[in-house]
Amino acid sequence: MQNKVSLTSRYMAAVRAIEHQRPDRLFSDPLAEKLAGAEIIAEIAPRAQEYEDRGRPVVAVRTRFFDDFLMSSASSIRQVVILGAGMDTRAFRLPWHPDTYLYEIDQPDVIQLKESLLDSTPAICHRQVIPIDLRESWSEKLLQKGFETKSPSIWLLEGVLYYLTKTDACDLLKTITDLSTDGSFLGADVLNEKMQKSDNGLAKYWLFGFDEPEKLFASFGWQADVVQFGDDTANFGRFKYKFPPREVLDIARGFLVTARKKG
Ligand code: SAM
């Protein structure tokens, strides 16, 4: 995998593989080790430990946060779309209703590698993959695979929105909105501007930061709840670092967003 943005999918799987080995793990992800590969796990392990030592296990907390969000929204909804899915294994490891259709969209090189590594592992629900760049027109492909615009849906943008420019991110949100009935749900993580412009290892690939996610999602018709890592609902006893209040703009931070399309 040559493209560094594509490679981030395996970095995330590596962190989940490491989390899976912990006695106090926040979730179980038995396929993550295979999807990340031993070499990438070895490369990522010191960094993951550093984040843990600083009380900031971002990826583990984010994964668990969105696991819980998906499960709480999925009680009556049977279609889920994971955009920039990377090596996400939720189709294989969460207790979906068997009638659930789960669509994974990512770049063709990521999907190709993932499918070869999974080697026909059976999913718990109906899993469909759509290999396409999210900046292209993907909605037609989603509809062809069976997505129904008249039924409510759940959307997940985990670790992906900031790899797009603001224009591309807004186009994506507009497309999602057009495909969603009222009562649909959306989960996303958003970086603030300070974080996007930081010198974190991957920051040079981050193109979009926003300080007020509530306003961003409201502009597309979604009522958003926004929390920070470390808040009561987003620490799971592991994210011990406490961010200063949001009004303090000069702090690099990320937000966890759960939203409902207003009716
Ligand atoms: N959501 C996964 C997770 O949390 O493990 C993957 C996150 S990874 C940091 C970012 C993912 O976004 C990669 O799989 C990458 O290929 C995908 N991505 C970034 N830009 C994309 C684009 N323009 N079209 C499709 N996928 C994209």
Side-chain angles (χ1 to χ4, degrees):
M1 203 176 252
Q2 302 297 325
N3 176 340
K4 188 78 176 185
V5 174
S6 302
L7 197 54
T8 64
S9 64
R10 300 191 89 188
Y11 291 163
M12 298 303 111
V15 183
R16 290 193 290 266
I18 293 165
E19 180 71 16
H20 179 76
Q21 297 300 331
R22 290 180 66 104
D24 62 345
R25 64 190 181 199
L26 298 182
F27 52 84
S28 142
D29 191 348
L31 291 168
E33 184 177 356
K34 191 200 287 198
L35 292 170
E39 223 175 283
I40 292 180
I41 294 174
E43 179 189 336
I44 289 297
R47 194 96 203 265
Q49 188 58 49
E50 196 188 305
Y51 274 82
E52 191 72 42
D53 293 344
R54 291 165 59 213
R56 296 177 176 215
V58 172
V59 176
V61 164
R62 185 179 76 183
T63 303
R64 171 60 186 274
F65 181 87
F66 286 125
D67 280 2
D68 290 356
F69 158 72
L70 290 167
M71 286 297 98
S72 68
S73 319
S75 56
S76 59
I77 297 185
R78 297 285 173 262
Q79 44 183 8
V80 181
V81 187
I82 305 184
L83 303 117
M87 301 295 161
D88 186 305
T89 58
R90 292 186 172 99
F92 305 89
R93 65 178 182 80
L94 292 184
W96 302 105
H97 187 286
D99 292 340
T100 303
Y101 282 76
L102 188 150
Y103 304 90
E104 296 178 9
I105 308 181
D106 207 305
Q107 304 183 89
D109 63 333
V110 175
I111 298 278
Q112 197 184 357
L113 177 66
K114 185 176 187 179
E115 295 312 289
S116 71
L117 292 168
L118 285 171
D119 192 22
S120 307
T121 305
I124 287 165
C125 53
H126 302 282
R127 173 175 178 261
Q128 302 273 4
V129 294
I130 303 177
I132 191 167
D133 192 305
L134 287 166
R135 294 165 295 186
E136 293 172 26
S137 171
W138 50 268
S139 54
E140 203 51 46
K141 288 184 188 278
L142 182 66
L143 294 168
Q144 280 163 9
K145 295 265 185 186
F147 182 89
E148 291 176 9
T149 51
K150 291 202 172 83
S151 303
S153 44
I154 309 171
W155 301 83
L156 183 63
L157 288 157
E158 183 184 26
V160 65
L161 216 42
Y162 34 91
Y163 287 96
L164 303 173
T165 62
K166 183 173 183 185
T167 304
D168 288 334
C170 288
D171 284 351
L172 184 68
L173 291 175
K174 167 87 172 68
T175 305
I176 291 171
T177 305
D178 290 346
L179 291 166
S180 302
T181 55
D182 292 341
S184 293
F185 291 95
L186 188 158
D189 62 323
V190 173
L191 303 179
N192 77 346
E193 288 186 37
K194 177 89 178 170
M195 182 72 156
Q196 182 242 318
K197 296 188 171 100
S198 68
D199 58 3
N200 173 305
L202 289 173
K204 56 175 171 287
Y205 305 102
W206 295 343
L207 308 174
F208 174 46
F210 206 81
D211 292 339
E212 295 176 291
E214 293 89 346
K215 281 194 185 159
L216 175 69
F217 288 92
S219 70
F220 291 95
W222 296 79
Q223 168 85 46
D225 280 330
V226 178
V227 298
Q228 297 195 80
F229 288 94
D231 285 356
D232 289 349
T233 54
N235 68 62
F236 304 102
R238 287 270 299 284
F239 202 105
K240 299 203 165 101
Y241 180 84
K242 290 281 172 229
F243 284 96
R246 277 182 61 181
E247 304 78 77
V248 186
L249 293 181
D250 198 29
I251 298 282
R253 60 176 100 225
F255 303 109
L256 294 163
V257 179
T258 53
R260 189 169 189 277
K261 191 164 180 221
K262 288 187 247 180

